[in-house]
Amino acid sequence: MNTKTETPPVDTSNLFAQVAFNRMLDLQREFAEGGVARLVLQTRPELTNNHLAVHGGVVMTMLDGAMSSAALSKSGFTRAVVTVDMSASFIKPARGRLVAHGLAVGGGKSICFCEARVEDEAGDLVARALGTFKYVDP
């Protein structure tokens, strides 16, 4: 008789939805699979700055969320991640429906390197980022 208890497989696919800040923004993850992710946000006045564009912190959140979702999906949703480093460039003011695209581009068992971009509803580039994520136990 085998007395060793098997640990059930870990599923971190629902971590994004558990982040209260994502819910407050109404940030939606449309897709995350195989190291690729897509998030969408319909902007509203309370998310804008004094230039009536989406606040840079909201755009940074989208970039971070897209990259972390890509990293999670690269692991098959068996790990969690924490952001170790992130750099972003803002290209133009963010307005209207925004889409963030994340891609896991490298790394290994403990680190995942990602890139992301946010586009507006016309498909124009709003911002882009590079990020480093550390895999951790959930």
Side-chain angles (χ1 to χ4, degrees), residues 8-13 15 71-81 135-138:
V10 174
D11 179 7
T12 59
S13 62
L15 290 180
L72 287 171
S73 73
K74 182 181 178 189
S75 81
F77 294 103
T78 61
R79 308 289 309 272
V81 294
Y135 286 113
V136 295
D137 291 331

Side-chain angles (χ1 to χ4, degrees), residues 11-31:
D11 179 7
T12 59
S13 62
N14 63 350
L15 290 180
F16 181 86
Q18 293 177 12
V19 177
F21 192 61
N22 291 340
R23 290 193 309 272
M24 185 184 80
L25 294 174
D26 198 23
L27 183 58
Q28 304 293 314
R29 184 167 68 190
E30 282 192 334
F31 178 85

Side-chain angles (χ1 to χ4, degrees), residues 12-89:
T12 59
S13 62
N14 63 350
L15 290 180
F16 181 86
Q18 293 177 12
V19 177
F21 192 61
N22 291 340
R23 290 193 309 272
M24 185 184 80
L25 294 174
D26 198 23
L27 183 58
Q28 304 293 314
R29 184 167 68 190
E30 282 192 334
F31 178 85
E33 186 176 313
V36 178
R38 183 176 54 246
L39 311 180
V40 295
L41 176 72
Q42 184 57 54
T43 61
R44 50 193 197 277
E46 60 268 27
L47 301 180
T48 61
N49 58 25
N50 59 332
H51 302 287
L52 302 180
V54 175
H55 192 282
V58 174
V59 175
M60 289 285 287
T61 298
M62 292 185 72
L63 292 164
D64 186 53
M67 291 187 290
S68 62
S69 291
L72 287 171
S73 73
K74 182 181 178 189
S75 81
F77 294 103
T78 61
R79 308 289 309 272
V81 294
V82 293
T83 308
V84 174
D85 183 61
M86 181 175 165
S87 62
S89 299

Side-chain angles (χ1 to χ4, degrees), residues 88-106:
S89 299
F90 295 90
I91 313 302
K92 69 176 277 194
R95 295 189 171 92
R97 182 178 187 269
L98 302 177
V99 179
H101 303 272
L103 178 65
V105 295

